[in-house]
Amino acid sequence: MRIAHCSLEVQGVRGGGIGTYVGEAGRALRAAGHEVWLFTMRPDAELESRFRAVCDEAFDRVVFVDEDLDDPLRYRFGFARRPYRESQMVHDAIRRAGVEFDWIEFPDYEAWGYVAVQEQDLFRTHGDAVVAVHLHSPTRECWDYNLQRHNLGPKEREVCALEEDAIRRTPLLLAPSRRLREMVADRLGLAPTRLGDGEAVAEILRYPMRLSPELPASPANGRRLEDLRIVYFGRMEPRKGVHHLVEAFRQLPEVRLELFGEDRPSSPQGGSLIEWLSRDLPPNVTFRPALPRERLLAELSSFDVCIFPSLWENWPNVCLEAMAAGRVVLGAKNGGMSEMIEAGASGFLVDGTDPDDIARVIRDELGQALDRLDEIGSAAAARARELCDPAKYASRVEELHGQAVRKRQPVSPAGDLPLVTVLVPYYREDLEVVRAAVDSALAQTHQKLEVLVIEDGSPRADKDAILDALRSRDERVRVVSRTNGGLARARNQGVLEARGEFVLCLDADNLLRNDYVELGLMAFRADSSAEAIVPQFRIFDDSTNETVAVVGPLPFEPSLAYFRNEFGDAGAMFRRRVFSEHDLRYDPEVDTYSDWALWIDMARHRLPVRQVPRILFDYRKHGESMMATTAWDRHLAMVGLLMDRHWLSLGDDGDRERAVAMLHGFGVGSLLANLGGRAEFWEEPGRATRRWFQNPERFEIAHGIVELLARVPVLGSLTIGTALRLRRWHGKRKDRRAR
């Protein structure tokens, strides 16, 4: 088979567990006779020689997805730009490779497979390849079990939304342990071995690891607990159970513990965990600096007992490496280690959430096994070799590929072509502008459509001539006139007048790509549960026709529902039954946020909205477009109105999460904006300042400062005036990007 592994993390160069897996998987698959490609980012120059050493052994070919890009991919949406952008780059690089793959695999972390999974699910873009997502450590689990949910900001929540959508959509979900599979499935409301309503399957695929066939020496028997060298190594994070481990050894003053690892900012207040724990550290516990992996592996033989009391783990390499080295391992029962360790035979299991249980297992179970440590170490070494056999891994990949191919569903035929209504609200655009929009609809490759122009009380003196010109373009064009009521009311009028089974919204100053309708219908056929689709769109400058940015919609995330409108633009395509059967409408009372209100209403009715990761229309940016003239001055008032009129009830915990997300998102400036009616903080910045912020690079600098101010209340409180002005400038740009 020709196999593609797609990963930012690479063994010995970037990342940890995922990178180790990718390197070991490449070696195992090549040894079994498969052709293995790696799609990754180019490493820094100082790491290139190490990178080449790994890749020459593990992969037949390496493709850097950040090279030879025709489009700079300047995405403008949310905070999760980099993961979305990189997932697009990976997908494009696979297509540019010009070869057919049998197996394409992505890690779950940071959603590197998001675009490719969507494309394969909707359009079979990668042909007959089996596209898989491998669970390692989803972002949500990492933050939850690090006890950092209160610090989970908008960027991380958006990344979670991308990851979870890829997990839901992938035709094949892989997991190294049954516990991880069950945990993620339970959180997402999925059956543990089947995803969604389709035929996607979650399968177990253990990590491979090259290990010497000779069993190493095991710890010597007959010593006391206090004579054993007991160590923990790994990240210093709450999810690793470090804080409970320290408390457990407080109960064992005669037993010593050493902890080797990299400190992480994961205390309850977001600072150093080691500093937090060192405030009251028992004298028998010592923190030591992290060891490089090569040195750590060499030092393993000097340890007697390795303890990993994680609150949760997927399939940790550190446990396998310790077992493979013949060490006696105490592993957590709340994750993959419970499937590695045979309790009492090849190690011991502890409840990482309970310091009392950790102390009990050390004192009683380990204490009673001091005369057979060598036997336990030998059993651990043999068990690790059984679990990590590279040949078994390659054979399992071959088996899963065969199963997926046999279960593949045929592409459903198009059937009768449905009528599609394109709604074009018209108010005051020039004839050339609105005619270009109408012509872009008439030029669709799917020709069975009607173009419904909703004239909304235009103030132009030549209005009648413009409407007559539009009617004469094609017999499929209809014009409906009404009194001025705003864009949302015009769209609602169009919905009532529409005859099509599907409704596509097109603002009069925007342009459809000629394959929008055809691809939209393909997406609806591929996902019969979808009630609407929202594509990417390109923003272009009307005066130069240059691309300003590409906007990609995020999957709907309830905890971000009132934070920002990043779930789609008004250029969406709906099944008409969304309006006729569920009586949903664009809400004119929330003005330019009426599409935002509609996404919330659809979520409340549990009507799925599907993201299509292709640019299907172009947004014309000009002097009077919403991109340039926005309602940011009324932003907080309209968000409040949005909450009042379109409440998405999530229950107590969900409402708490939503409030925390908004706190992170709006930041100090916006939260204090209403205090005292300090209008001087909201004065219009000068023209020179506005021009300065029109530069994308300068805006990115300001955006970073705003994020810092939003996350550091003390800093924000010292510079309230500057923070508010900067938040205003940022908000005007943000609002422009969102429209």
Side-chain angles (χ1 to χ4, degrees):
M1 293 191 296
R2 181 180 288 129
I3 294 172
H5 269 275
C6 308
S7 174
L8 173 65
E9 299 186 24
V10 180
Q11 189 173 28
V13 181
R14 283 187 297 256
I18 296 175
T20 300
Y21 162 72
V22 167
E24 297 289 351
R27 296 183 185 91
L29 292 166
R30 287 189 77 189
H34 300 293
E35 179 184 340
V36 187
W37 292 43
L38 172 67
F39 289 83
T40 190
M41 294 286 191
R42 177 174 286 283
D44 296 336
E46 62 270 20
L47 296 173
E48 192 155 352
S49 59
R50 185 188 303 175
F51 178 84
R52 289 294 176 190
V54 171
C55 292
D56 288 347
E57 185 180 7
F59 306 104
D60 294 281
R61 185 168 175 183
V62 177
V63 176
F64 298 121
V65 303
D66 49 346
E67 288 189 342
D68 302 323
L69 290 177
D70 297 328
D71 189 330
L73 294 169
R74 288 170 52 195
Y75 280 99
R76 290 290 173 87
F77 60 94
F79 292 114
R81 299 173 191 162
R82 182 186 56 77
Y84 198 126
R85 175 178 180 268
E86 290 179 0
S87 72
Q88 183 73 59
M89 292 164 65
V90 175
H91 167 72
D92 292 342
I94 296 172
R95 298 193 69 188
R96 287 199 308 271
V99 299
E100 294 183 359
F101 289 97
D102 299 288
W103 178 281
I104 305 174
E105 184 178 325
F106 302 92
D108 57 348
Y109 192 68
E110 294 216 323
W112 251 47
Y114 173 74
V115 169
V117 165
Q118 296 275 6
E119 283 276 348
Q120 186 71 352
D121 185 41
L122 295 175
F123 306 120
R124 290 280 181 89
T125 309
H126 297 290
D128 292 330
V130 173
V131 176
V133 170
H134 205 143
L135 294 176
H136 296 287
S137 296
T139 297
R140 171 67 73 170
E141 269 66 30
C142 290
W143 283 74
D144 281 356
Y145 284 92
N146 265 336
L147 311 181
Q148 294 292 308
R149 183 182 293 189
H150 57 288
N151 275 328
L152 190 64
K155 176 183 176 181
E156 292 77 23
R157 290 173 187 272
E158 291 173 2
V159 169
C160 288
L162 292 172
E163 288 180 2
E164 290 161 14
D165 208 54
I167 290 170
R168 291 178 186 277
R169 306 298 181 186
T170 182
L172 179 61
L173 184 68
L174 306 171
S177 68
R178 292 185 296 275
R179 178 67 185 119
L180 176 60
R181 178 179 68 180
E182 292 163 2
M183 179 182 300
V184 174
D186 181 64
R187 179 168 62 80
L188 298 182
L190 306 171
T193 58
R194 194 163 302 278
L195 305 177
D197 298 323
E199 292 298 319
V201 174
E203 297 282 2
I204 301 301
L205 180 63
R206 312 288 197 196
Y207 296 167
M209 187 178 291
R210 293 169 302 161
L211 298 171
S212 168
E214 293 82 22
L215 296 183
S218 299
N221 296 329
R223 290 173 294 166
R224 302 174 303 165
L225 276 176
E226 50 265 41
D227 296 330
L228 298 179
R229 189 179 184 191
I230 302 177
V231 301
Y232 162 90
F233 55 89
R235 295 188 182 99
M236 298 299 177
E237 295 176 319
R239 70 185 174 104
K240 302 294 184 179
V242 174
H243 54 309
H244 290 156
L245 185 58
V246 169
E247 288 305 308
F249 273 78
R250 194 184 303 276
Q251 303 178 35
L252 303 167
E254 73 285 358
V255 185
R256 291 173 292 112
L257 171 68
E258 298 172 81
L259 299 100
F260 295 84
E262 178 186 352
D263 193 11
R264 292 298 178 94
S266 53
S267 75
Q269 297 177 357
S272 161
L273 183 64
I274 290 180
E275 289 182 9
W276 180 268
L277 295 174
S278 297
R279 298 174 310 162
D280 184 26
L281 196 67
N284 59 327
V285 176
T286 305
F287 285 107
R288 302 196 184 282
L291 297 175
R293 185 169 184 271
E294 295 78 9
R295 184 180 167 190
L296 178 63
L297 294 177
E299 293 249 352
L300 273 175
S301 60
S302 67
F303 305 152
D304 298 306
V305 177
C306 299
I307 181 165
F308 309 110
S310 301
L311 308 186
W312 160 79
E313 277 287 1
N314 55 358
W315 189 256
N317 286 321
V318 291
C319 183
L320 287 169
E321 289 166 343
M323 292 175 68
R327 303 304 92 192
V328 176
V329 176
L330 279 66
K333 63 175 63 174
N334 303 317
M337 286 184 278
S338 64
E339 298 168 42
M340 298 177 184
I341 297 170
E342 303 151 308
S346 54
F348 301 93
L349 294 174
V350 300
D351 183 351
T353 67
D354 184 357
D356 293 342
D357 187 69
I358 298 172
R360 179 193 62 78
V361 172
I362 294 173
R363 183 177 51 247
D364 298 341
E365 297 185 27
L366 177 62
Q368 294 175 12
L370 294 175
D371 59 347
R372 57 186 188 93
L373 296 181
D374 59 345
E375 176 187 331
I376 295 171
S378 296
R383 175 70 172 165
R385 284 157 176 76
E386 175 191 353
L387 292 170
C388 300
D389 184 354
K392 287 184 178 179
Y393 167 82
S395 176
R396 179 63 172 155
V397 170
E398 294 164 3
E399 177 188 2
L400 292 174
H401 176 268
Q403 292 176 2
V405 169
R406 288 193 297 272
K407 292 179 179 178
R408 179 180 290 129
Q409 298 295 306
V411 178
S412 59
D416 294 335
L417 297 179
L419 176 66
V420 176
T421 299
V422 181
L423 295 185
V424 186
Y426 167 69
Y427 182 55
R428 60 184 177 187
E429 288 78 15
D430 293 339
L431 173 60
E432 292 75 14
V433 171
V434 69
R435 184 164 59 190
V438 170
D439 286 350
S440 74
L442 295 174
Q444 292 296 301
T445 54
H446 177 89
Q447 287 286 293
K448 190 175 179 181
L449 53 80
E450 65 169 353
V451 180
L452 194 55
V453 179
I454 311 298
E455 188 277 311
D456 193 34
S458 174
R460 295 182 64 99
D462 58 350
K463 172 181 66 175
D464 291 339
I466 291 175
L467 297 179
D468 288 342
L470 295 176
R471 290 187 186 97
S472 65
R473 300 296 289 177
D474 192 285
E475 62 182 6
R476 293 173 294 170
V477 178
R478 283 198 294 140
V479 176
V480 175
S481 296
R482 63 184 305 279
T483 58
N484 182 21
L487 182 61
R489 287 189 174 90
R491 290 184 183 132
N492 291 339
Q493 182 68 33
V495 166
L496 294 174
E497 299 281 348
R499 300 168 181 164
E501 180 183 346
F502 295 88
V503 175
L504 172 59
C505 294
L506 173 64
D507 288 354
D509 52 357
N510 296 334
L511 302 169
L512 299 181
R513 300 291 176 97
N514 67 351
D515 57 351
Y516 187 147
V517 174
E518 180 182 359
L519 292 174
L521 293 174
M522 288 177 62
F524 280 116
R525 285 197 299 272
D527 186 351
S528 60
S529 69
E531 297 293 340
I533 64 165
V534 287
Q536 296 177 352
F537 62 95
R538 179 183 74 106
I539 304 171
F540 71 98
D541 189 304
D542 191 39
S543 61
T544 64
N545 200 36
E546 293 182 356
T547 298
V548 176
V550 173
V551 176
L554 294 169
F556 189 88
E557 164 53 46
S559 70
L560 291 172
Y562 303 113
F563 164 54
R564 63 189 305 141
N565 183 14
E566 300 295 350
F567 316 116
D569 194 78
M573 186 172 177
F574 300 86
R575 297 186 192 271
R576 187 158 60 91
R577 67 191 185 200
V578 167
F579 307 101
S580 61
E581 296 180 11
H582 298 282
D583 200 31
L584 297 186
R585 294 291 186 272
Y586 288 96
D587 184 353
E589 300 303 323
V590 294
D591 200 16
T592 55
Y593 295 169
S594 60
D595 57 321
W596 189 352
L598 186 59
W599 308 137
I600 293 173
D601 289 346
M602 292 190 70
R604 190 174 72 249
H605 284 75
R606 301 186 183 277
L607 302 180
V609 178
R610 188 70 188 268
Q611 289 69 39
V612 176
R614 293 195 186 187
I615 299 173
L616 297 184
F617 73 97
D618 297 306
Y619 188 109
R620 186 191 304 270
K621 180 182 177 182
H622 56 88
E624 295 184 345
S625 67
M626 288 186 186
M627 195 69 63
T629 57
T630 71
W632 181 250
D633 288 338
R634 294 167 287 132
H635 173 72
L636 292 178
M638 287 198 296
V639 171
L641 191 61
L642 191 73
M643 290 181 177
D644 288 342
R645 295 174 61 85
H646 304 272
W647 183 250
L648 182 63
S649 179
L650 303 177
D652 293 340
D653 191 50
D655 291 338
R656 170 185 167 278
E657 285 205 9
R658 178 169 48 211
V660 171
M662 291 180 65
L663 175 66
H664 280 288
F666 289 119
V668 174
S670 293
L671 288 174
L672 296 180
N674 291 339
L675 298 182
R678 301 295 299 276
E680 64 270 22
F681 289 150
W682 298 94
E683 63 188 11
E684 280 286 341
R687 291 182 180 179
T689 302
R690 290 200 299 271
R691 284 198 301 271
W692 194 88
F693 272 93
Q694 291 297 320
N695 180 288
E697 288 71 28
R698 293 168 184 163
F699 171 73
E700 292 303 324
I701 295 173
H703 184 278
I705 295 172
V706 168
E707 283 196 77
L708 176 63
L709 291 173
R711 287 176 175 272
V712 186
V714 174
L715 180 59
S717 66
L718 292 176
T719 56
I720 288 297
T722 302
L724 290 174
R725 288 189 177 93
L726 192 52
R727 172 59 71 173
R728 172 169 166 74
W729 297 330
H730 162 61
K732 291 175 73 68
R733 291 287 298 181
K734 179 175 73 172
D735 203 31
R736 291 170 188 171
R737 295 199 313 276
R739 305 312 309 165

